[in-house]
Amino acid sequence: MKFGVVVFPGSNCDQDCVHVLRDVVRQPVVTLWHQETSLRGVDAVVLPGGFSYGDYLRTGAIARLSPIMRAISAFANDGGLVIGICNGFQILLESGLLPGAMLRNTGLRFICRFVHVRVERTDTPFTNQLQQGQILRLPIAHNEGRYTTDEHIARTMTDQVVFRYCDADGQVVDAANPNGSIDAIAGLTTRAGNVMGIMPHPERASESALGSEDGRLIFASMLEAHAYA
Amino acid sequence: MNARVYITLKPGLLDAQGKTVKSALDALGFKGVKDVRMGKYVELKLNGAKAATVKADVERMCKKLLANPIIETYRIELVQT
């Protein structure tokens, strides 16, 4: 399964994603520069974390206008697998591929630490190797992670929430919500399920040396989904 | 013609930055501050001279890029130059 990791000016988790996909998940990976117009035949696209375009205007607002995003939209609308991690999630929101928007964390701090998230759905290409209600330990690193919607979106959303922030016992409580996201949303998919945004970084938690291997299960799920596509 | 665009978070949304600035003002002894909302200010220099056309253009710029309609509202002021 060939992965394409998109690189915008200001991306800084692109090489972490390349490393995990190539050396841990052991799949072919190419990097796709934001100015490219073709996805070069990849089977899945990764929009990595970082600060694309310096977070100017709003996080992800400028990146979504990059030439590569047009190809990614077409790919996603055609059923292609797209995962947006952290800034990648913000780009998916700004591009309209996922519903909603991100606001500054309620505590106004850039938060960089491990959190727990609860698996809310296992019938997606990103979670088929996980158990319903399973608790993953993944790191977050963001300043704008307070997911929100407006009334119109809230009305039209179905059960698209894939991950919720929770405590170590899997309880979704305010104290375990690091950034003030509505409904403690940490990960969200499209109705069709082939596009997912996730604020925590699975690529930073895919090797035991880094304190957690839970993130690897998300990439393993993508492999499984591709194998049976 | 110039345009001034004021972008703020929608009224219902918690403005964490504004709230923090309000407590800082409180700390400085400014007791009369009831609320602070932070936002963005964009100044545009434009070629057009016809107010209606320019306003419609800036309106489109706001909808397509300058503001995110899910979380923000905007107000446009035109200034003759």
Side-chain angles (χ1 to χ4, degrees):
Chain A
M1 181 180 186
K2 185 176 166 189
F3 285 86
V5 177
V6 183
V7 184
F8 298 96
S11 296
N12 66 7
C13 302
D14 45 310
Q15 288 307 313
D16 302 46
C17 290
V18 168
H19 161 68
V20 166
L21 292 166
R22 186 189 57 205
D23 305 327
V24 181
V25 184
R26 299 198 176 279
Q27 297 298 313
V29 191
V30 293
T31 52
L32 300 165
W33 183 234
H34 70 119
Q35 292 290 355
E36 291 187 50
T37 51
S38 152
L39 298 182
R40 288 193 260 144
V42 300
D43 300 302
V45 170
V46 181
L47 292 167
F51 302 84
S52 57
Y53 292 90
D55 281 350
Y56 289 174
L57 193 64
R58 295 178 305 277
T59 54
I62 310 291
R64 67 131 170 138
L65 300 167
S66 292
I68 194 89
M69 285 309 294
R70 193 168 296 178
I72 291 171
S73 285
F75 179 74
N77 291 329
D78 211 30
L81 291 185
V82 179
I83 180 171
I85 301 165
C86 196
N87 187 226
F89 189 0
Q90 295 163 337
I91 295 169
L92 289 173
L93 293 170
E94 281 284 342
S95 67
L97 283 169
L98 285 172
M102 288 292 179
L103 292 163
R104 277 192 162 195
N105 301 339
T106 44
L108 272 186
R109 285 187 191 195
F110 187 100
I111 311 168
C112 186
R113 63 174 168 86
F114 272 93
V115 296
H116 295 96
V117 295
R118 191 175 74 189
V119 178
E120 305 290 57
R121 284 184 55 181
T122 56
D123 58 341
T124 80
F126 308 94
T127 53
N128 58 46
Q129 298 299 297
L130 298 164
Q131 304 297 316
Q132 189 75 25
Q134 189 176 341
I135 301 155
L136 306 185
R137 199 169 153 270
L138 300 171
I140 53 167
H142 61 248
N143 194 36
E144 282 88 3
R146 178 168 38 127
Y147 177 79
T148 193
T149 57
D150 59 14
E151 280 175 20
H152 171 71
I153 292 170
R155 262 200 309 274
T156 53
M157 275 219 324
T158 51
D159 54 343
Q160 290 166 241
V161 182
V162 184
F163 296 107
R164 282 198 168 87
Y165 298 109
C166 66
D167 63 17
D169 301 320
Q171 300 302 311
V172 175
V173 290
D174 283 350
N177 184 338
N179 50 32
S181 287
I182 58 162
D183 273 346
I185 290 171
L188 192 69
T189 182
T190 48
R191 252 182 243 180
N194 60 305
V195 177
M196 182 177 80
I198 178 170
M199 278 321 277
H201 288 266
E203 83 283 8
R204 295 189 189 181
S206 290
E207 293 156 283
S208 58
L210 296 181
S212 169
E213 293 181 89
D214 293 348
R216 196 160 74 192
L217 298 168
I218 292 173
F219 301 118
S221 296
M222 293 173 75
L223 289 190
E224 182 77 4
H226 179 66
Y228 291 97
Chain B
M1 191 173 294
N2 290 357
R4 298 168 176 165
V5 183
Y6 302 85
I7 301 157
T8 47
L9 284 183
K10 281 184 179 172
L13 291 173
L14 167 72
D15 179 356
Q17 204 182 178
K19 214 172 138 189
T20 306
V21 170
K22 187 199 172 294
S23 3
L25 290 171
D26 286 345
L28 284 172
F30 294 102
K31 298 300 179 201
V33 185
K34 280 168 76 179
D35 192 20
V36 178
R37 303 290 288 177
M38 302 288 285
K40 292 181 194 125
Y41 171 64
V42 184
E43 246 179 21
L44 301 162
K45 287 187 178 154
L46 301 147
N47 285 324
K50 204 170 155 226
T53 322
V54 169
K55 179 119 191 221
D57 273 353
V58 177
E59 192 88 36
R60 280 174 48 232
M61 292 178 205
C62 287
K63 285 192 173 128
K64 291 189 93 152
L65 178 68
L66 299 179
N68 181 334
I70 300 170
I71 49 173
E72 295 168 325
T73 55
Y74 57 86
R75 182 164 58 83
I76 301 165
E77 271 176 22
L78 295 185
V79 185
Q80 291 289 350
T81 45

